[in-house]
């Protein structure tokens, strides 16, 4: 069924938005495959975003784990995370659709930043909705967005976090679909967004496949990626879905503990539900009210898991895992010391899982971690955690 | 009371239907009971009773706040159905449409939800995040219980989709006159009038216009444009929202407001 | 003469250090050309640092200037600036020399950060000397260094800025040359440092040459680079020194004005002198006392210009220019809006020169700006400047 | 007074040479005059008179601070030379070595600087950032004015370089006993003794040991190891640095300290 991954997905939005979704789907199917679009996007990915990103054989982490650990260096993409891959693609698409304005939401600020960049590259106005709590926690990214000339609109409905910002962006979009594109930042939302975002992010896995074959002469034994909506994970996984021998691990935010309201582990604690236009794995209470998620990584602080990811975890192709906040901070420290690389708190979830689950990885296995972003945005949080104040 | 009959009757009388929309439990269940009685007494012809949801993406600031307050007051979907049952026992006669977001329904189970809704005494469902493409399952459950599933059309709805919607609709069509979300607006947009004409050409179903209606003049214009009635929501919540410590104090103003709207539905075309 | 560029250069250091300089020169000449060293460095540059960096055709800046503007994207190197190119090279060299510890100084923090990274990659202890004033101004980079496990030692002698930190690092080095390598961060200091640093940075120009030939089918008309010591500039220039048709512009920190003590424009305001082991263009008073430089860009806040650069400017091969602080802030804003890229304050000097000197660049000329680093470290300064507080 | 003669004379007497090192103008020119007189009276055989420099890379914290204070007091290279001329007029008889960093000399011009230095009454130059490889030009100017250019050797100096240095040296060799910069230290390192032997095998030039000497015992050990004398700098500055508001108050302690060092140079080997 169109826009479905197994039972997940769909288009659960107000009638007002249906036209925009149809228009977007049609435009994507028409424009994306054209050589001109591919060429323009390819050049921007290469020269602006900095692709291909390296695949780095991490000697320090390899020693610590006994595996051959590789890091797919999405932290080196302009702006510091994988987010720009998708933003450049959608911004180009929106411009060809004749839109003049981009709106979106952001939690960690990485997607907002990437949207602001992409907007400036294609010459479109940008407005970013951001929960008031996230604006505090990720103040440095707010500053970056402002410097880039984006309008940052605080969202104080709900808990003032990502899920509320998504709702507000959908509401804003309903007002102005004619001129405005909602540049969805992860593989969530109503069809065709999950498909579009995964398509633009799958450049990660295509490069990765070629690189690991060059380096090891074979496919990896496992790929580990963090996520909430799932865009960096699917970006890395999609090229390997048919390769049964490649184990795929998805690491979500365990938060403080799996108790009550201290977690973002939707695969552990949620069940299928509809939010923001799609049926997906969802943190919710017994009445179907969406529960706020909790994790120190703003970018993983979302109660839903994108439909494709929900499906892949339901079928068992992808293994859903989690890492707790304290493990994540330790993994940041370990990676800083062992590799000289400062990972984003989100990314550190994947690293923490690798470091703390020797039972999953045998000695000598080739394990790729999708190093989705750098931790500069988390500097204040990290300093407070490690040094107090 | 039967929904179609009531609309038929109003049409015969040359009168527009007035459907107030309230989120139950805002700011407390007790107030909602009094509010609904006030609306019924003030001349409401139908009632849209909302089950609050945590993430009401089709609603504007007034109703977002209403949902938050109702949830904070501990309101649950079952509590809402229970309340409707009580309202019926106490003599509420209007046809009632239950409104909520799809996840609330899904969470209880489609069949169970529809059965409970019928038992509570409602005549239909409005699910603002369920476009016709996703509606087949719920449609089946609703029909099984004799409930209408009300569909919406909007200025952005293409002709092709409009036909598909009309093909599945029953009860009435909810015509969203503006692009955007719920919320009282000062002016009606010309697109609303244009849309009403477009829909009328396709169907003889009653058309209820909603989103942004806040004045008797709006009602008059919409009925002139071909609507069979109007939905008024945020404009009511806005009145009591301004005195949340003692919302009962606003009931006289609300009563006056509803009467003025009902009056407008009777103005000759 | 060995270690000289024209009359500039030399080895003006304490007898205590001479042995270390000889040892370093010998090791560099012996180890650098070996295939094993080239291979190890090449892999790290590719997979860890993220080389080659793209050459980006900047449409927005091109429109604004009427030139075909390209940016050589050193901001995409791990850590956010060109500094790592040199640090990886020297760290590998030091390890092969049997050293176990790296020391260095830093102003903007970019070189300190890159040294901390390189130290962790090769497994060596790292100590960074940093002027107390710079530690305040570039607090976020101090935090990054701490997270990476480097020891950061505040320097409060002199004015508590870069020049004092260099002096203190030289003093520390004199104590422990046996175990410790001074990882010089720019093309300054006694021979062989200027040669070593320029050699490791010249990867920039080699890539650039190939990329511009692919893109334009010819060499550029001009290359513009900012600097103080000159490492990013020489890195970009060296591959073009023999090509008379390629104009080379070096942009130093004009500071507030060319008056009195408000500038870092050593080529405009200085004369040859000896500091930190080399004869070079130097800001100094009539008695030969070194004058403190002043610019809002910490990384350009050094009173000397490396010997090779001093020579190239004296002979006229490179044109010495400057940009004032206020032009630089404007250039940051312009680049943010036009390209979605946030340049370092240092880098913005080169951009400011390009934007404000139409008389130097004819319509349609191909101009490459060496985009030496990203501006994340300058976020607070920029916010204060543009938004106050 | 001739430098070589004075060292010859001391050697004949079986006595070590004591060369205090002060940066002129720290914390004020007036104090420096009194300090130098105190040192001379206390038994100094030679004097190393420093012209402060903004970036004294071969100096440790004590002398860095001394340079900063002297520069803050407005001391200039010309002022230092003028001061030496005055000291000579007032009867200072010791051989004087002027110490400064190379840029100060370069800035005035090598020839001019050497001429001024000779006219002011010094016998030689010590330039801590001028290794033998870079010294030819200054050597020529200095020789032209009859000035010694004093070279240093260090524990890290290779045999090959040692020979080169010895080949160009005159007056004496300044033997840096430790790796590092100037500054008083508690213990002498064994490397110092070893180094003294190495140098002695290559040259009959007098050897003055410097860097880190802060006690009479150090002096005794160094002379035993073969030194012809000692340079004591930071240990003196350290004393008056502790009372910078009224440094003159420390002159008696300094006097006592210098006497004790001079005493040590006379102890039989
Ligand atoms: C560095 C980084 N990694 C991962 C994520 C999670 O997003 P996704 O699940 O779409 O990959 C974010 C979101 O902000 C992020 O910034
Ligand atoms: C981004 C950036 N560009 C330029 C420089 C100046 O250094 P150099 O003159 O060695 O290129 C620095 C120094 O910190 C820097 O951080």
């Amino acid at each position: 069924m169109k826009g479905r991954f197994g039972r997940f997905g769909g288009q659960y939005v107000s009638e007002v938005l249906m036209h925009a979704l149809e228009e977007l789907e049609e435009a994507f199917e028409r424009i994306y495959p054209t050589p001109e679009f591919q060429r323009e996007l390819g050049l921007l990915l290469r020269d602006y975003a900095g692709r291909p990103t390296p695949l780095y054989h991490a000697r320090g982490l390899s020693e610590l784990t006994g595996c051959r650990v590789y890091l797919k260096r999405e932290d080196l993409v302009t702006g510091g995370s994988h987010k720009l891959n998708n933003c450049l693609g959608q911004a180009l698409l929106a411009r060809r659709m004749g839109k003049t304005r981009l709106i979106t939401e952001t939690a960690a600020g990485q997607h907002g930043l990437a949207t602001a960049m992409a907007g400036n590259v294609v010459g479109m106005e940008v407005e970013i909705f951001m929960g008031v709590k996230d604006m505090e926690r990720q103040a440095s990214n707010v500053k970056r967005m402002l410097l880039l000339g984006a309008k940052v609109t605080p969202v104080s409905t709900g808990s003032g976090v990502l899920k509320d910002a998504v709702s507000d962006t959908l509401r804003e979009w309903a007002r102005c679909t004619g001129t405005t594109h909602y540049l969805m930042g992860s593989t969530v939302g109503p069809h065709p967004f999950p498909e579009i975002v995964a398509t633009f992010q799958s450049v990660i896995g295509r490069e990765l496949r070629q690189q690991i074959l060059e380096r090891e002469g074979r496919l990896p034994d496992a790929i580990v990626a963090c996520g909430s909506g799932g865009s960096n994970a699917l970006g890395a996984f999609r090229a390997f879905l048919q390769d049964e021998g490649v184990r795929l691990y998805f690491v979500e935010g365990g938060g403080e503990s799996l108790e009550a309201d201290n977690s973002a582990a939707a695969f552990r604690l949620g069940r299928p539900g509809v939010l923001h236009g799609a049926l997906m794995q969802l943190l919710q209470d017994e009445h179907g009210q969406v529960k706020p998620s909790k994790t120190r990584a703003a970018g993983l602080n979302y109660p839903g898991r994108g439909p494709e990811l929900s499906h892949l975890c339901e079928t068992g192709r992808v293994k859903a895992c989690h890492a707790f906040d304290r493990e994540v901070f330790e993994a940041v420290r370990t990676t800083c010391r062992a590799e000289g690389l400062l990972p984003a708190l989100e990314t550190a979830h994947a690293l923490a899982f690798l470091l703390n689950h020797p039972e999953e990885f045998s000695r000598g296995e080739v394990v790729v971690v999708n190093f989705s972003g750098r931790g500069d945005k988390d500097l204040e949080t990290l300093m407070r955690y490690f040094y107090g104040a | 009371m039967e929904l179609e009959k009531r609309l038929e009757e109003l049409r015969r009388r040359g009168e527009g239907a007035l459907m107030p929309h309230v989120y139950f439990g805002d700011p407390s269940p007790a107030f909602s009971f009094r509010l609904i009685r006030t609306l019924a007494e003030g001349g409401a012809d139908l009632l849209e009773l909302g089950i609050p949801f945590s993430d009401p993406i089709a609603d504007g600031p007034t109703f977002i706040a209403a949902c938050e307050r109702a949830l904070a007051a501990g309101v649950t979907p079952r509590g809402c159905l229970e309340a409707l049952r009580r309202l019926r026992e106490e003599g509420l006669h209007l046809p009632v449409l239950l409104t909520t977001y799809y996840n609330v329904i899904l969470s209880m189970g489609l069949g169970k939800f529809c059965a409970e809704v019928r038992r509570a005494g409602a005549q239909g469902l409005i699910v603002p995040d369920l476009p016709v493409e996703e509606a087949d399952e719920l449609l089946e459950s609703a029909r099984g219980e004799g409930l209408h599933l009300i569909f919406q059309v909007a200025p952005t709805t293409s002709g092709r989709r409009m036909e598909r919607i009309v093909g599945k609709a029953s009860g009435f069509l909810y015509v969203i006159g503006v692009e955007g979300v719920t919320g009282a607006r000062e002016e009606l947009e010309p697109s609303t009038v244009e849309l009403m004409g477009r829909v009328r050409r396709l169907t003889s179903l009653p058309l209820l216009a909603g989103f942004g209606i806040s004045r008797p003049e709006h009602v008059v214009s919409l009925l002139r444009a071909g609507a069979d009635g109007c939905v008024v929501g945020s404009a009511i919540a806005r009145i009591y929202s301004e005195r949340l410590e003692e919302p009962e104090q606003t009931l006289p103003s609300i009563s006056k407001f509803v009467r003025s709207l009902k009056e407008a539905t009777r103005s000759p075309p």
Side-chain angles (χ1 to χ4, degrees), chain A, chain B:
Chain A
M1 195 173 148
K2 194 189 74 173
R4 291 278 168 174
F5 303 91
R7 60 171 164 159
F8 298 98
Q11 295 186 304
Y12 300 89
V13 296
S14 161
E15 178 59 31
V16 180
L17 285 176
M18 285 304 292
H19 173 72
L21 296 178
E22 287 186 335
E23 182 193 11
L24 180 60
E25 182 180 357
E26 182 279 323
F28 180 67
E29 285 174 1
R30 177 169 47 82
I31 297 171
Y32 178 75
T34 61
E36 306 86 70
F37 184 85
Q38 290 296 326
R39 196 175 156 279
E40 190 171 5
L41 178 58
L43 281 178
L44 281 178
L45 286 178
R46 187 187 70 181
D47 300 337
Y48 186 78
R51 302 208 71 89
T53 58
L55 183 68
Y56 171 59
H57 178 219
R59 281 194 195 71
L61 293 172
S62 296
E63 255 169 51
L64 287 170
T65 56
C67 302
R68 294 181 60 77
V69 178
Y70 285 88
L71 306 178
K72 178 62 176 162
R73 297 289 305 280
E74 295 300 298
D75 63 311
L76 283 177
V77 173
T78 294
S81 82
H82 68 290
K83 294 288 180 188
L84 190 66
N85 303 329
N86 167 50
C87 290
L88 286 174
Q90 283 196 53
L92 283 181
L93 184 63
R95 198 184 51 189
R96 288 186 190 229
M97 289 169 71
K99 309 289 176 189
T100 57
R101 177 166 167 259
L102 301 171
I103 59 173
T104 195
E105 28 53 40
T106 195
Q110 290 301 105
H111 173 60
L113 189 61
T115 302
M117 293 179 156
N120 289 3
V121 167
V122 302
M124 289 170 81
E125 215 182 303
V126 173
E127 181 170 354
I128 312 285
F129 293 81
M130 191 167 182
V132 283
K133 281 208 203 120
D134 289 332
M135 285 183 71
E136 263 174 47
R137 286 186 285 201
Q138 307 278 330
S140 71
N141 269 343
V142 174
K143 292 173 190 164
R144 285 181 185 90
M145 289 184 269
L146 290 177
L147 284 173
L148 292 181
K151 182 172 170 197
V152 181
T153 301
V155 172
S156 48
T157 51
S159 328
V161 295
L162 179 59
K163 125 182 135 62
D164 312 296
V166 176
S167 298
D168 261 18
T169 314
L170 282 169
R171 291 176 188 121
E172 170 65 19
W173 198 30
R175 279 187 200 102
C176 51
T177 51
T179 59
T180 300
H181 176 66
Y182 181 174
L183 204 162
M184 189 66 70
S186 191
T187 41
V188 295
H191 175 75
F193 282 117
E195 180 59 37
I196 289 179
V197 177
T199 301
F200 284 131
Q201 288 294 2
S202 61
V203 64
I204 301 174
R206 282 197 305 275
E207 288 175 8
L208 170 48
R209 195 179 172 95
Q210 190 184 327
Q211 288 167 323
I212 198 74
L213 284 173
E214 275 168 23
R215 219 63 68 72
E216 292 284 337
R218 65 175 181 93
L219 295 182
D221 296 297
I223 304 175
V224 187
C226 73
S228 56
S231 73
N232 90 80
L234 286 173
F237 294 166
R238 268 200 165 186
F240 299 90
L241 290 178
Q242 308 310 320
D243 305 295
E244 293 293 327
V246 181
R247 305 194 308 279
L248 306 173
Y249 294 89
F250 176 79
V251 189
E252 57 184 7
E256 262 173 48
S257 73
L258 291 183
E259 239 108 274
D261 296 325
N262 281 322
S263 182
F267 279 118
R268 277 298 297 271
L269 305 172
R271 59 196 159 87
V274 165
L275 178 68
H276 295 148
L279 179 67
M280 56 183 171
Q281 186 70 13
L282 184 64
L283 276 179
Q284 51 184 315
D285 71 10
E286 78 235 68
H287 308 296
Q289 305 293 356
V290 180
K291 277 217 248 183
S293 53
K294 205 171 152 198
T295 150
R296 297 289 292 271
L300 302 190
N301 204 16
Y302 185 70
R305 299 293 164 262
E308 185 170 2
L309 196 65
S310 297
H311 174 62
L312 290 170
C313 286
E314 193 171 60
T315 61
R317 179 65 192 94
V318 171
K319 178 161 180 172
C321 321
H322 59 271
F324 292 113
D325 287 345
R326 64 183 172 284
E327 298 177 295
V328 167
F329 281 102
E330 266 323 303
V332 169
R333 175 159 30 203
T334 303
T335 309
C336 279
R337 302 294 164 96
E339 302 297 346
L341 297 175
L342 173 61
L345 280 176
E346 292 79 12
T347 309
H349 280 70
L351 297 161
F353 183 79
L354 170 64
L355 287 163
N356 297 330
H357 293 273
E359 77 282 4
E360 291 284 348
F361 307 97
S362 311
R363 282 201 76 76
E365 282 197 334
V366 174
V367 180
V368 179
V369 174
N370 196 19
F371 202 85
S372 61
R374 57 175 150 88
D376 300 58
K377 67 186 179 55
D378 301 310
L379 214 47
E380 298 307 324
T381 308
L382 292 166
M383 291 304 286
R384 257 196 310 277
Y385 186 87
F386 288 119
Y387 300 93
Chain B
M1 148 83 71
E2 247 263 28
L3 174 70
E4 278 156 318
K5 245 199 219 146
R6 164 63 62 107
L7 289 169
E8 187 51 40
E9 192 185 300
L10 285 167
R11 190 182 269 182
R12 261 203 325 264
R13 292 215 303 260
E15 210 175 281
L18 177 65
M19 177 164 86
H21 174 191
V22 300
Y23 267 112
F24 183 78
D26 174 37
S28 68
F31 174 73
S32 292
F33 279 108
R34 295 192 57 184
L35 174 62
I36 290 165
R37 271 182 232 120
T38 303
L39 297 172
E41 284 158 16
D45 299 301
L46 314 165
L47 176 68
E48 184 177 354
L49 184 62
I51 300 176
F53 180 55
S54 53
D55 297 80
I57 54 170
D59 284 304
T62 307
F63 273 168
I64 297 171
C67 282
E68 283 180 16
R69 284 189 299 259
L71 290 173
V75 168
T76 64
R78 277 179 202 287
C80 293
L81 295 170
E82 187 49 49
L84 176 55
R85 195 155 25 224
R86 228 184 89 194
L87 284 163
R88 286 292 187 221
E89 281 166 20
E90 290 175 17
L92 184 73
H93 279 301
L94 318 180
V96 170
L97 286 305
L98 266 178
T99 289
T100 194
Y101 286 81
Y102 194 51
N103 198 50
V104 168
I105 301 171
L106 207 59
S107 180
M108 196 180 286
L110 306 192
K112 186 153 179 214
F113 184 84
C114 289
E116 297 274 347
V117 164
R118 187 193 45 74
R119 254 201 300 282
Q123 280 64 50
L125 298 174
I126 300 177
V127 189
D129 61 347
L130 194 71
V132 65
E133 285 81 356
E134 306 288 356
D136 284 350
E137 270 186 283
L138 184 60
L139 205 50
E140 192 173 319
S141 300
R143 295 251 164 91
E145 297 289 343
L147 295 171
H148 295 287
L149 179 56
I150 303 301
F151 287 103
Q152 304 186 316
V153 295
T156 51
T157 307
S158 64
R160 194 165 43 85
R161 294 196 68 256
M162 196 88 83
E163 280 174 27
R164 203 183 308 154
I165 292 167
V166 163
K168 302 213 171 179
S170 73
F172 61 85
L173 273 178
Y174 191 128
V175 182
I176 299 176
V178 296
E179 292 188 51
V181 292
T182 64
R185 289 169 176 80
E186 293 312 304
E187 303 279 343
L188 279 187
E189 294 178 31
S191 62
T192 313
V193 179
E194 191 262 335
L195 174 60
M196 212 62 71
R198 274 216 295 145
V199 189
R200 184 45 79 223
R201 260 170 268 133
L202 284 175
T203 180
S204 59
L205 272 176
L207 308 180
L208 264 62
F211 281 39
I213 301 169
S214 67
R215 300 184 181 182
E217 304 91 273
H218 297 163
V219 174
V220 173
S221 316
L222 285 164
L223 296 183
R224 289 220 175 107
D228 296 288
C230 291
V231 189
V232 180
S234 302
I236 296 168
R238 210 161 59 164
I239 299 177
Y240 68 74
S241 297
E242 269 160 27
R243 293 198 64 179
L244 283 171
E245 344 66 67
E246 26 179 23
E248 319 76 36
Q249 300 293 326
T250 63
L251 288 173
S253 319
I254 290 175
S255 175
K256 218 175 115 201
F257 177 57
V258 173
R259 279 169 210 280
S260 73
L261 295 172
K262 183 61 216 169
E263 199 49 49
T265 67
R266 296 199 185 101
S267 61

